[in-house]
C-alpha cells in the first residue's frame, strides 16, 4: 500500500454554469470577484507557509479549475512550491470540464508540474448530458481526452455518474468501452445523489424528469464493476477504479487520514489532529483574516473516521492505528468474528477489509464496527 505523506487541496469555486444535479460550492462569479479571489487564495497559501510540510499530492479541484485563465493555476502552483516542500514524485491533479480545456491550458498545466488530469465526463450520451445540464457533448469529451494525451498526459481520470435520467446499462457499458479505448487510467463512478435544492431534484419532484430506480442503479453499478474488472480497472475504493499503479494518491491520502492543507472557499484542513474549515460564503472569504476556527478531534472521532474512510477502500482499515487511538477490540470481538465468519469482512494481522462482493453494504458494516 502506498503511504501518502502530506497533501494540499486548492478549491476553485468557479463554473461557467451550474449543472442541474450539483450543489458543490461553485458558481459563475463575475471577473471582478474572480480576480479578488485569486489574490486572497495566494495570500492564504503564503500565510500558512510551512517548510516542514512535505507534500506528496496536490489537488486543484472545484468547481472547474479549467474554466479560469491558466495564469492563475500557474501562480497557485508557484506559490505552493515557494512555501511548502513538494516531493519530486508528487502527484499534481487538476479537475477539468471537457468544454473548457484547450491545448494552451494543457501545456501551461504541464509546464508547472501538473501530471494528472481529471475530466468530468459523466456520460457520453448527448441526450443524457442535456438532461443534467452539462455544457459539453460526447465529441467534446472524447476530444478533450485525446488532446490531454497528445499534450503528454499519461494519467487521466474520467468521472461518470450512475443514475442519470434515461441511463441504461447498455448505454453505460458502451460509454465505458469508448472511454477505455481512449486510454484513461482511472475511472470514478459516482451514484448520482439527488441533492436538495438542485434543479434536477425539482424536475424529479415535479415529475418532469424520471431517474432510474435505486434497484436499477444498483444493478447497473454491479454490472459495471464486473465489466471494469474484466478491462483491468480494479476497484480500490467504492467509487474508484484504476489500472494497476494509477490509484489516485490524493484520494488514498484522505482515506488514510493524511494531514492536508485545504486552501480557498469552503476548503477544510486536517493538520496535527485538528480540523480547520473555511467559510463557504464568498464575501466572508474575501475579507478573511486567517483567524482559523480550530476543532480538535477526540480519539473517538478519529477512530470513527478511520473506520468510515478505511472500510470504503480495498486496503481496509489498519488495526494497529485503530488500537493506537484506543479502539476496544475486546468489546467488538463477537461482532467482528460474526462479520468474518459470514464473509462480510476479511481480517489479517494488520487490516480489516470489506469483502469485494460486499462493498454494496459497507455502510451497514461500518455501523456495526463503530
Ligand atoms: C468538481 S466536479 C469535476 C470537474 C468539473 N467541475 C466538471 O464537472 O466537469 C466533481 C465531480 O463530482 C461529481 N458530482 C457532482 N455532483 C454530484 C452529485 N450530486 N452526485 C454524485 N456525483 C456528483 C461529478 O461526477 C463531477 O464530475
Ligand atoms: S459538476 Fe462540475 S461543472 Fe457542473 S456545476 Fe458541479 S462543479 Fe461545476
Amino acid at each position: 500500500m502506498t503511504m501518502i505523506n502530506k497533501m494540499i487541496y486548492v478549491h476553485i469555486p468557479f463554473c461557467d454554469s451550474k449543472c442541474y444535479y450539483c450543489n458543490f460550492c461553485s458558481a459563475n462569479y463575475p471577473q471582478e470577484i474572480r480576480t479578488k479571489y485569486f489574490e486572497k487564495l495566494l495570500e492564504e497559501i503564503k500565510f500558512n507557509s510551512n517548510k516542514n510540510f512535505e507534500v506528496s499530492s496536490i489537488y486543484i479541484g472545484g468547481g472547474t479549475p479549467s474554466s479560469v485563465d491558466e495564469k492563475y493555476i500557474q501562480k497557485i502552483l508557484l506559490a505552493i512550491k515557494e512555501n511548502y516542500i513538494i516531493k519530486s514524485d508528487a502527484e499534481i491533479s487538476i479537475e477539468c470540464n471537457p468544454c473548457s480545456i484547450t491545448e494552451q491550458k494543457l501545456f501551461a498545466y504541464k509546464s508547472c508540474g501538473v501530471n494528472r488530469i481529471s475530466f468530468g465526463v459523466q456520460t457520453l450520451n448527448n441526450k443524457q448530458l442535456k438532461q443534467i445540464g452539462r455544457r459539453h457533448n460526447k465529441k467534446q469529451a472524447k476530444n478533450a481526452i485525446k488532446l490531454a494525451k497528445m499534450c503528454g498526459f499519461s494519467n487521466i481520470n474520467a468521472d461518470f455518474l450512475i443514475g442519470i435520467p434515461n441511463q441504461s446499462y447498455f448505454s453505460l457499458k458502451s460509454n465505458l468501452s469508448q472511454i477505455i479505448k481512449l486510454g484513461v487510467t482511472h475511472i470514478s463512478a459516482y451514484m448520482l445523489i439527488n441533492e436538495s435544492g438542485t434543479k434536477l431534484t425539482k424536475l424529479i419532484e415535479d415529475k418532469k424528469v424520471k431517474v432510474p430506480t435505486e434497484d436499477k442503479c444498483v444493478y447497473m453499478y454491479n454490472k459495471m464493476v464486473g465489466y471494469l474488472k474484466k478491462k483491468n480497472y480494479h476497484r480500490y475504493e467504492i467509487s474508484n477504479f484504476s489500472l494497476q499503479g494509477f490509484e489516485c494518491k490524493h484520494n488514498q491520502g484522505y482515506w488514510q487520514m493524511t494531514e492536508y492543507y485545504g486552501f480557498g472557499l469552503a476548503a477544510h484542513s486536517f493538520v496535527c489532529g485538528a480540523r480547520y474549515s473555511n467559510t463557504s460564503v464568498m464575501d466572508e472569504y474575501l475579507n478573511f483574516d486567517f483567524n482559523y476556527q480550530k476543532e480538535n478531534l477526540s480519539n473517538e472521532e478519529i477512530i470513527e473516521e478511520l473506520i468510515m474512510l478505511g472500510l470504503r477502500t480495498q486496503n481496509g482499515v489498519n488495526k494497529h492505528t485503530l488500537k493506537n487511538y484506543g479502539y476496544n477490540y475486546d468489546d467488538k470481538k463477537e461482532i467482528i468474528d460474526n462479520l468474518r465468519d459470514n464473509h462480510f469482512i476479511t481480517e489479517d494481522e494488520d487490516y480489516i477489509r470489506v469483502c469485494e462482493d460486499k462493498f454494496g453494504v459497507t455502510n451497514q458494516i461500518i455501523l456495526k464496527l463503530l
Side-chain angles (χ1 to χ4, degrees):
M1 179 179 59
T2 329
M3 285 308 285
I4 314 299
N5 291 60
K6 292 178 184 341
M7 321 195 292
I8 289 179
Y9 173 79
V10 182
H11 191 68
I12 311 294
F14 307 122
C15 290
D16 293 325
S17 57
K18 202 76 193 162
C19 303
Y20 298 169
Y21 53 86
C22 180
N23 80 343
F24 283 24
C25 179
S26 73
N28 190 1
Y29 290 94
Q31 185 55 43
E32 189 195 335
I33 300 277
R34 294 181 180 221
T35 310
K36 283 190 188 153
Y37 181 79
F38 284 112
E39 280 168 16
K40 197 74 195 177
L41 186 59
L42 290 174
E43 229 185 281
E44 190 185 14
I45 292 170
K46 288 172 197 162
F47 177 85
N48 288 283
S49 181
N50 183 348
K51 289 286 191 174
N52 292 316
F53 205 79
E54 200 180 1
V55 174
S56 53
S57 161
I58 302 172
Y59 197 97
I60 304 177
T64 306
S66 61
S67 69
V68 303
D69 195 306
E70 57 275 22
K71 73 174 180 220
Y72 294 120
I73 306 298
Q74 288 172 315
K75 282 184 187 175
I76 289 166
L77 285 171
L78 185 65
I80 292 176
K81 280 173 197 160
E82 284 172 354
N83 290 282
Y84 305 84
I85 305 296
I86 312 304
K87 290 183 81 176
S88 59
D89 63 345
E91 173 187 274
I92 307 182
S93 308
I94 188 163
E95 286 187 327
C96 300
N97 188 309
C99 64
S100 57
I101 201 68
T102 62
E103 195 175 325
Q104 189 178 322
K105 282 182 183 169
L106 285 162
F107 279 128
Y109 299 162
K110 197 152 211 333
S111 71
C112 55
V114 173
N115 51 25
R116 184 173 184 275
I117 304 280
S118 176
F119 285 114
V121 172
Q122 325 306 352
T123 164
L124 285 180
N125 180 298
N126 284 337
K127 190 173 169 207
Q128 291 170 17
L129 284 165
K130 267 221 164 85
Q131 279 192 298
I132 54 172
R134 293 292 298 184
R135 296 172 73 83
H136 73 270
N137 59 31
K138 168 181 176 168
K139 198 169 170 200
Q140 284 170 313
K142 291 176 89 169
N143 284 344
I145 294 170
K146 286 182 199 162
L147 190 63
K149 288 207 81 178
M150 204 190 81
C151 294
F153 288 97
S154 53
N155 194 356
I156 301 174
N157 168 62
D159 285 343
F160 271 85
L161 288 173
I162 316 298
I164 298 176
N166 290 312
Q167 194 174 36
S168 65
Y169 180 65
F170 181 74
S171 73
L172 174 62
K173 186 177 166 189
S174 148
N175 290 179
L176 292 169
S177 149
Q178 294 174 61
I179 282 294
I180 289 170
K181 281 195 187 120
L182 293 176
V184 301
T185 44
H186 190 286
I187 293 172
S188 297
Y190 304 112
M191 282 284 196
L192 180 60
I193 302 167
N194 294 313
E195 305 277 4
S196 69
T198 62
K199 186 164 174 178
L200 183 63
T201 301
K202 176 97 176 54
L203 287 169
I204 297 167
E205 281 165 5
D206 294 348
K207 304 211 171 357
K208 290 191 176 137
V209 157
K210 219 173 141 187
V211 282
T213 60
E214 204 180 319
D215 282 352
K216 186 164 179 204
C217 291
V218 171
Y219 165 81
M220 289 195 282
Y221 210 100
N222 289 338
K223 293 275 282 184
M224 175 189 72
V225 172
Y227 177 71
L228 290 177
K229 194 172 182 177
K230 260 201 272 170
K231 297 285 178 186
N232 297 323
Y233 291 78
H234 76 109
R235 188 186 200 182
Y236 68 103
E237 192 264 355
I238 291 186
S239 312
N240 287 283
F241 305 79
S242 82
L243 297 178
Q244 209 65 46
F246 287 93
E247 300 82 7
C248 174
K249 280 192 193 177
H250 201 83
N251 285 347
Q252 289 181 305
Y254 283 142
W255 303 324
Q256 290 165 19
M257 287 193 80
T258 299
E259 286 192 300
Y260 64 92
Y261 281 113
F263 300 126
L265 191 66
H268 301 258
S269 302
F270 179 61
V271 185
C272 297
R275 177 104 55 220
Y276 303 81
S277 311
N278 285 0
T279 174
S280 51
V281 178
M282 182 58 94
D283 268 355
E284 283 177 15
Y285 181 73
L286 295 180
N287 293 304
F288 188 27
D289 60 1
F290 307 127
N291 187 8
Y292 290 95
Q293 295 294 318
K294 182 176 175 185
E295 180 205 351
N296 283 314
L297 294 189
S298 65
N299 280 4
E300 288 73 28
E301 286 167 324
I302 293 183
I303 287 173
E304 228 175 275
E305 296 224 3
L306 281 168
I307 292 179
M308 284 199 290
L309 296 167
L311 286 188
R312 289 176 59 94
T313 71
Q314 193 193 40
N315 289 326
V317 59
N318 188 298
K319 291 162 66 171
H320 311 293
T321 315
L322 284 181
K323 236 184 195 150
N324 290 343
Y325 282 105
Y327 186 69
N328 193 336
Y329 278 98
D330 295 338
D331 275 5
K332 295 286 175 186
K333 190 175 177 331
E334 207 175 309
I335 293 172
I336 293 174
D337 289 349
N338 203 288
L339 285 169
R340 192 192 50 237
D341 295 346
N342 287 296
H343 310 289
F344 282 94
I345 59 170
T346 58
E347 200 188 1
D348 62 23
E349 270 185 24
D350 303 318
Y351 283 91
I352 295 178
R353 300 181 179 88
V354 172
C355 295
E356 212 182 319
D357 63 330
K358 298 295 190 314
F359 261 150
V361 289
T362 301
N363 286 343
Q364 286 90 318
I365 298 174
I366 288 171
L367 286 176
K368 283 188 184 292
L369 291 177
L370 289 179

